[in-house]
Amino acid sequence: AQSVTQLGSHVSVSEGALVLLRCNYSSSVPPYLFWYVQYPNQGLQLLLKYTTGATLVKGINGFEAEFKKSETSFHLTKPSAHMSDAAEYFCAVTGREDDKIIFGKGTRLHILP
Amino acid sequence: DGGITQSPKYLFRKEGQNVTLSCEQNLNHDAMYWYRQDPGQGLRLIYYSQIVNDFQKGDIAEGYSVSREKKESFPLTVTSAQKNPTAFYLCASSKFPGGAPDNYGYTFGSGTRLTVV
């Protein structure tokens, strides 16, 4: 079975500062990992995903995430926060047994001017 | 452009009333999903369907019903048995089975906000 833990339900960073959103997963098989973003009153949009190959994955809007198998982590980073990054971010995992994706509870990112 | 459409965007329900939320996709995806979202609780799976005329209960199916008569459509009915239906409802779709790595991942609609009045 798979599970996802996102550390911190709320994270605040200053505009221009590094964004780091933490995600740890549990999976009995090599996982596929995802980050989604949700703006207020909208659906979720895929930021990036890791399936196979290079462990550093680049996504949209300047975000990237690194798959670290030894740490069972898939943290999301962005070098310089922008006001438009304020949103809720969801980490997710699938073990592919039934193709269902398991979502974390989300981290709301606040950008301070 | 292919995508997934939810309607209406806002819906108001009176006590004891059934309401149906629409979800339509033109992505040729086999699998479709309904999630409920409440503040601080993330996404909770209500029902999912991986093939036409078949669907399975998710984690919180009580008080909800679905049908899957067409590949493109997966409507959700919130029945009067659902005691606390006020929430944001999200529909998603995906290829099934996934197969190649590029096929994995859900496409989401823009959601329906249901309020009991």
Side-chain angles (χ1 to χ4, degrees):
Chain A
Q2 288 73 44
S3 66
V4 173
T5 302
Q6 292 185 241
L7 301 177
S9 57
H10 292 265
V11 170
S12 295
V13 301
S14 297
E15 191 174 18
L18 172 72
V19 174
L20 171 60
L21 303 183
R22 299 178 187 274
C23 173
N24 288 90
Y25 69 90
S26 172
S27 178
S28 54
V29 298
Y32 288 177
L33 295 156
F34 310 82
W35 276 99
Y36 284 84
V37 61
Q38 184 182 31
Y39 299 101
N41 290 314
Q42 294 186 27
L44 277 67
Q45 178 185 5
L46 182 66
L47 268 180
L48 51 80
K49 69 179 178 183
Y50 168 79
T51 55
T52 58
T55 56
L56 182 62
V57 182
K58 295 187 184 299
I60 61 173
N61 302 339
F63 284 93
E64 61 183 35
E66 187 170 11
F67 169 58
K68 292 188 176 181
K69 183 179 178 181
S70 61
E71 299 177 8
T72 60
S73 69
F74 192 57
H75 301 331
L76 182 70
T77 61
K78 182 174 180 177
S80 177
H82 191 273
M83 295 300 290
S84 61
D85 295 327
E88 189 152 23
Y89 292 80
F90 292 90
C91 183
V93 64
T94 180
R96 306 186 301 286
E97 296 99 336
D98 59 3
D99 290 357
K100 289 213 314 268
I101 294 178
I102 307 302
F103 291 87
K105 291 190 177 298
T107 297
R108 185 166 296 278
L109 177 63
H110 305 270
I111 309 298
L112 307 173
Chain B
D1 283 344
I4 183 166
T5 302
Q6 290 187 242
S7 62
K9 190 169 180 63
Y10 298 96
L11 186 58
F12 298 91
R13 192 194 94 166
K14 294 181 180 179
E15 295 278 354
Q17 190 178 48
N18 291 357
V19 291
T20 297
L21 285 59
S22 171
C23 179
E24 303 273 339
Q25 54 95 4
N26 61 1
L27 298 165
N28 199 31
H29 285 172
D30 290 288
M32 298 186 74
Y33 311 83
W34 274 107
Y35 288 91
R36 171 178 172 144
Q37 189 175 24
D38 296 281
Q41 297 199 42
L43 301 173
R44 292 187 289 170
L45 183 63
I46 304 172
Y47 270 98
Y48 67 100
S49 168
Q50 294 173 326
I51 192 171
V52 174
N53 292 321
D54 189 40
F55 48 82
Q56 283 76 42
K57 293 181 179 180
D59 302 317
I60 57 163
E62 186 174 352
Y64 299 96
S65 66
V66 294
S67 63
R68 187 84 187 278
E69 297 176 0
K70 298 187 302 182
K71 185 177 183 177
E72 301 80 14
S73 179
F74 192 41
L76 173 73
T77 297
V78 184
T79 74
S80 57
Q82 171 51 241
K83 297 307 178 188
N84 184 23
T86 294
F88 191 55
Y89 290 86
L90 286 164
C91 181
S93 70
S94 69
K95 292 187 177 182
F96 180 79
D102 280 350
N103 290 340
Y104 282 85
Y106 293 175
T107 300
F108 282 85
S110 57
T112 293
R113 186 165 296 282
L114 174 63
T115 304
V116 174
V117 297

